[in-house]
């Protein structure tokens, strides 16, 4: 099972300045396998865009995403496929993917307990009431189990979304800053659950929490909408004395800043030579 991104491009136009453009992805090419892939990079590097395109919440301007499933089925998401059939081009895969944004309000009057039970029944889980009760207790949601979704405090919404993910049991999980709003206990619980799911699923996690990213099998480093480096975490972090994701990321950013300064110095020297 794999996800392959081939020459993806996504450019956003400014609403206030139509001629202004912001690059989301630029000729992005990479592939993800089963397990947890931590997507790293500075703000604006394209992490969220990559997840939203992969979840088919957006349509690429160019390029395509290929999902190779365990049963040999191949599904493609591209501008042409979207124009021809919309998300129905993904078939059953759409219902087997879940995207969790950094933060989201849930504006529904249904109670949390009923909502989660509904999700469990849709997923045809055995003993859905028992499973929902277990997750509510495990994730510290007992105090708000009868509250409407719209009344749940913001710091608990992320827990609700993660519990929903566990009930839906997705084949592909796309998590954008999942640890935002979670305390230390919540982060450890999420780590444990994702490691449990990892052997049989593709889990992509965009995160700035470099300590938490140690749970990953692979690392994908983004820069200006492109894939700068990708590979197994063990191999990439073996190149730094500390052997940690944080140390590796800091080293890569140091190189990037040095390269940027060198490029600027070269441009300044070139302009001086031309008499500008």
């Amino acid at each position: 099972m794999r996800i392959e991104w081939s020459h993806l491009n996504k450019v956003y136009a400014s609403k206030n300045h139509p001629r202004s453009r912001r690059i989301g992805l630029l000729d992005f090419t990479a592939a993800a396998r089963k397990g947890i892939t931590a997507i790293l990079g500075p703000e604006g590097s394209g992490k969220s865009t990559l997840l939203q395109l992969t979840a088919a919440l957006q349509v690429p301007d160019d390029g395509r995403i290929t999902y190779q499933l365990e049963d040999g089925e191949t599904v493609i998401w591209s501008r042409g496929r979207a124009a021809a059939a919309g998300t129905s081009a993904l078939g059953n895969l759409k219902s087997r993917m879940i995207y969790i944004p950094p933060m989201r309000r849930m504006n529904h009057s249904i109670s949390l307990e009923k909502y989660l039970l509904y999700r469990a029944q849709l997923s045809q889980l055995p003993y859905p009431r028992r499973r929902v009760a277990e997750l509510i207790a495990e994730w510290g949601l007992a105090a708000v189990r009868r509250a409407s979704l719209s009344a749940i405090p913001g710091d608990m919404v992320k827990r609700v979304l993660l519990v929903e993910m566990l009930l839906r049991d997705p084949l592909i999980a796309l998590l954008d800053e999942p640890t935002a709003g979670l305390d230390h206990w919540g982060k450890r619980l999420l780590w444990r659950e994702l490691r449990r799911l990892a052997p049989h699923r593709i889990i992509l996690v965009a995160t700035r929490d470099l300590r938490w990213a140690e749970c990953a099998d692979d690392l994908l480093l983004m820069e200006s909408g492109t894939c700068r480096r990708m590979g197994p975490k063990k191999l990439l972090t073996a190149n730094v004395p500390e052997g940690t994701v944080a140390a590796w990321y800091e080293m890569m950013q140091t190189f990037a800043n040095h390269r940027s300064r060198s490029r600027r110095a070269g441009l300044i020297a070139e302009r001086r030579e031309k008499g500008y």
Side-chain angles (χ1 to χ4, degrees), residues 204-224:
L204 306 180
V205 183
T207 183
R208 288 173 289 182
D209 190 337
L210 299 178
R211 292 186 61 185
W212 189 86
E214 293 290 347
C215 76
D217 301 294
D218 298 320
L219 303 177
L220 193 167
L221 178 61
M222 297 187 67
E223 181 182 314
S224 303

Side-chain angles (χ1 to χ4, degrees), residues 3 5 32 37 39 47-48 50-57 65 67 94 96-102 162 165 170-178 194 202-206:
I3 297 176
W5 302 284
T37 298
I39 304 173
K47 301 187 296 297
S48 294
L50 178 64
L51 291 184
Q52 291 172 17
L53 286 171
T54 306
L57 297 175
I65 304 172
Y67 310 85
K94 181 62 177 175
R96 298 299 309 278
M97 289 194 294
I98 187 169
Y99 167 73
I100 297 182
L162 294 172
M165 177 192 71
L171 188 66
I172 299 172
L174 311 165
L175 287 69
D176 197 347
E177 298 296 344
L194 292 187
I202 295 177
I203 302 173
L204 306 180
V205 183

Side-chain angles (χ1 to χ4, degrees), residues 73-217:
E73 181 184 4
T74 297
V75 179
I76 295 175
W77 180 243
S78 66
R79 185 174 182 178
R81 293 294 179 96
T87 55
S88 62
L90 298 176
N92 294 329
L93 178 61
K94 181 62 177 175
S95 63
R96 298 299 309 278
M97 289 194 294
I98 187 169
Y99 167 73
I100 297 182
M103 188 54 67
R104 188 184 80 189
R105 296 301 303 176
M106 306 182 75
N107 299 317
H108 301 286
S109 59
I110 187 173
S111 73
L112 169 63
E113 195 168 39
K114 289 182 179 179
Y115 175 75
L116 294 179
L117 180 59
Y118 167 72
R119 281 298 184 186
Q121 291 170 337
L122 278 183
S123 300
Q124 298 182 338
L125 294 180
Y127 309 108
R129 291 184 182 277
R130 186 173 72 185
R131 181 58 177 150
V132 167
E134 289 172 350
L135 287 172
I136 285 177
E138 190 173 23
W139 284 82
L141 296 170
V144 295
R145 71 183 190 280
R146 295 182 181 175
S148 65
L149 294 179
S150 60
I152 294 177
D155 60 349
M156 288 191 174
V157 171
K158 180 60 66 67
R159 295 187 186 190
V160 174
L161 295 176
L162 294 172
V163 167
E164 180 184 348
M165 177 192 71
L166 296 175
L167 289 172
R168 289 178 59 178
D169 191 26
L171 188 66
I172 299 172
L174 311 165
L175 287 69
D176 197 347
E177 298 296 344
T179 60
L182 289 182
D183 57 15
H184 180 69
W185 172 77
K187 292 179 182 180
R188 292 189 62 181
L189 187 56
L190 176 61
W191 181 324
R192 188 193 72 186
E193 291 296 331
L194 292 187
R195 287 309 321 165
R196 179 180 63 83
L197 296 171
H200 309 291
R201 295 161 182 80
I202 295 177
I203 302 173
L204 306 180
V205 183
T207 183
R208 288 173 289 182
D209 190 337
L210 299 178
R211 292 186 61 185
W212 189 86
E214 293 290 347
C215 76
D217 301 294

Side-chain angles (χ1 to χ4, degrees), residues 10-27:
K10 186 66 179 180
V11 178
Y12 300 98
S14 171
K15 294 181 180 179
N16 299 325
H17 304 282
R19 294 185 179 181
S20 177
R21 297 289 188 270
R22 179 177 66 83
I23 294 175
L25 294 181
L26 181 63
D27 196 33

